[in-house]
Amino acid sequence: MTLIRGHGHFERVLEFLSALRQSEIYSMVMLTLTNENLSQVLPLAEKLRGRADLFTFNRLSLVGEGARLKLPSKSDYMAFLEAYLEAAKRNPLIALKDNLINITRYQNGLPVFGGCTGYGCGAAFNFVCLLADGTVHACRKFPSPIGSIFRNGLAELYDSDSARRYRSGSRACRLCAIRPVCGGCLAIAYSFGLNVFEERDPYCFIGE
């Protein structure tokens, strides 16, 4: 965090969370997961006990400044999810967000949850991203334009063929048993140069 945010940033965040707690304001912390901080996630969750109300993570999208960083290997990520779910049994702060957590739960005979946004991937479904130039994207994490707010209203863009295509996700996921609560992450697929409409999240391990 010091490398990216600057010296002292972490301490200031902890102080801010303590101030929110003293003012009885609900707080959530979401970490951007990288190869470098993978081993720090669960210790951080423990450090946040008594400071925050909820903690989760989001996998890094290798876009923009994020392209300078790295994601963990698939095998390391699979092992991390197992450890994360175990830690969640003991730490009430730990929340479930990443769609692929549902694979681990499904394969272990546990009930699935709603995935990243309640219905798996929420791109162009329960969120869009509006940029300063008026361009509307299906997702904030990768280039996914569905039109311009200056040419069409938001409702029209939401109902557009472009938006529907992103909502449909990858063709490779459509017959999957947990597709309604997963679909992987389109931004991660994009990060690896894959066709987000045809190829699945490269970290998907269902059936493995």
Side-chain angles (χ1 to χ4, degrees):
M1 182 176 287
T2 298
L3 176 65
I4 298 173
R5 305 293 184 187
H7 182 73
H9 181 82
F10 182 73
E11 289 73 19
R12 290 194 296 273
V13 170
L14 293 181
E15 290 172 3
F16 179 64
L17 288 172
S18 296
L20 291 178
R21 175 56 60 94
Q22 291 173 9
S23 299
E24 299 183 348
I25 297 174
Y26 187 88
S27 63
M28 297 183 289
V29 174
M30 185 171 72
L31 172 143
T32 298
L33 186 73
T34 70
N35 184 57
E36 287 72 21
N37 66 19
L38 186 70
S39 63
Q40 302 169 17
V41 177
L42 297 182
L44 175 60
E46 288 300 316
K47 192 174 187 65
L48 291 174
R49 281 183 186 257
R51 288 189 170 96
D53 296 288
L54 183 146
F55 172 75
T56 187
F57 69 90
N58 212 19
R59 279 178 289 159
L60 170 73
S61 177
L62 304 176
V63 175
E65 292 296 316
R68 297 185 302 150
L69 304 175
K70 294 181 180 179
L71 281 161
S73 69
K74 184 176 179 178
S75 59
D76 285 347
Y77 185 65
M78 291 167 61
F80 165 76
L81 289 187
E82 292 280 2
Y84 186 85
L85 284 171
E86 279 300 311
K89 297 175 183 178
R90 303 184 298 272
N91 188 337
L93 263 67
I94 295 178
L96 308 183
K97 183 178 186 294
D98 192 300
N99 292 337
L100 299 192
I101 293 174
N102 269 322
I103 300 176
T104 298
R105 293 182 65 84
Y106 178 73
Q107 293 182 339
N108 288 333
L110 300 172
V112 295
F113 71 107
C116 179
T117 57
Y119 298 91
C121 177
F125 175 55
N126 58 358
F127 61 74
V128 294
C129 174
L130 174 61
L131 300 186
D133 64 0
T135 304
V136 179
H137 290 252
C139 175
R140 65 177 176 81
K141 294 178 65 179
F142 75 106
S144 48
I146 59 175
S148 171
I149 199 70
F150 295 131
R151 292 193 295 271
N152 305 97
L154 189 58
E156 186 178 356
L157 292 174
Y158 185 88
D159 289 331
S160 68
D161 290 340
S162 295
R164 289 193 187 96
R165 194 178 185 202
Y166 282 104
R167 282 196 291 275
S168 295
S170 170
R171 187 186 303 273
C173 295
R174 291 183 189 171
L175 298 180
C176 180
I178 61 170
R179 171 63 185 90
V181 291
C182 187
C185 176
L186 300 183
I188 298 299
Y190 177 90
S191 295
F192 283 80
L194 303 178
N195 183 332
V196 301
F197 303 116
E198 298 292 335
E199 300 174 275
R200 67 182 186 176
D201 185 325
Y203 281 77
C204 176
F205 54 93
I206 194 162
E208 296 182 13

